Amino acid sequence: MPVSKKMLGALNDQITMELAASHSYLAMAGWFESQNLPGMATWMQIQSAEERAHALKFFDFVVDRGEDVVLGAIEAPQGVFGSVLEVFERALAQEKSVTASINSLYTLASSEGELEAVPLLTWFINEQVEEEASVDQVVEDLRRAGDDPQALLMLDRELGARPVEE
Ligand code: MG
């Protein structure tokens, strides 16, 4: 059974959204480099690569279902920030909007009878719980660190040790 037009449009939009997130995290990595926070820059680079991998998961699914991939435009991301905390708060907001989009894709897959998409979307629902939790942890750590440069340096080292995942 072919993918419904509505579902296909939503899947293609999700590919673009993941790529936009990747683009945005790369801009954040650039800002951290400019602030001499190489650990946070590394963390953002890894996050950016992860988002591209997410886009490719949806890309592969669309192709495997015999449908055409249609990529959308990506807006220039924010590249200048007022503080380290602001960057991670922005990242958390971004993850929350991705979560909302994944959740509505799941609802759409159910209503459109696109059951083939359910395992993929279930994976993403779990992934978003982890994404939000990890960014939220950094936001909390940064709030606790406040203006203490020593605490910020320690956090930078800790985030720079992030292992490369899937
Ligand atoms: Mg993602």
Side-chain angles (χ1 to χ4, degrees):
M1 215 170 68
V3 180
S4 77
K5 219 176 161 184
K6 207 170 165 188
M7 187 71 204
L8 182 59
L11 286 165
N12 272 317
D13 287 350
Q14 192 63 38
I15 298 174
T16 302
M17 191 180 204
E18 301 289 345
L19 290 173
S22 173
H23 212 47
S24 169
Y25 285 129
L26 191 60
M28 291 172 182
W31 187 78
F32 282 126
E33 290 290 359
S34 79
Q35 302 300 304
N36 290 313
L37 290 165
M40 292 184 188
T42 297
W43 193 95
M44 285 294 174
Q45 285 262 10
I46 293 168
Q47 187 73 13
S48 175
E50 230 180 68
E51 298 308 337
R52 186 166 192 279
H54 290 170
L56 292 178
K57 273 182 187 279
F58 282 109
F59 180 103
D60 289 343
F61 180 79
V62 169
V63 171
D64 286 348
R65 297 287 287 122
E67 303 290 352
D68 292 340
V69 168
V70 180
L71 299 181
I74 297 173
E75 271 183 50
Q78 182 178 346
V80 179
F81 302 89
S83 69
V84 171
L85 178 61
E86 186 196 325
V87 184
F88 279 94
E89 282 175 338
R90 183 79 207 91
L92 185 58
Q94 187 166 284
E95 286 308 324
K96 283 182 175 171
S97 78
V98 170
T99 298
S101 182
I102 299 281
N103 289 354
S104 66
L105 260 177
Y106 184 93
T107 307
L108 187 64
S110 307
S111 67
E112 297 285 301
E114 178 64 27
L115 300 185
E116 294 86 345
V118 169
L120 177 74
L121 293 170
T122 303
W123 183 89
F124 272 101
I125 288 167
N126 287 322
E127 174 69 9
Q128 283 311 115
V129 172
E130 281 179 35
E131 295 275 56
E132 282 192 33
S134 72
V135 180
D136 194 50
Q137 183 63 57
V138 180
V139 168
E140 288 305 314
D141 289 347
L142 283 169
R143 285 193 181 134
R144 199 169 303 128
D147 291 330
D148 179 4
Q150 199 63 34
L152 191 67
L153 191 65
M154 271 180 64
L155 199 54
D156 186 64
R157 293 217 174 117
E158 186 191 317
L159 292 176
R162 176 181 179 171
V164 180
E165 291 161 32
E166 196 181 347

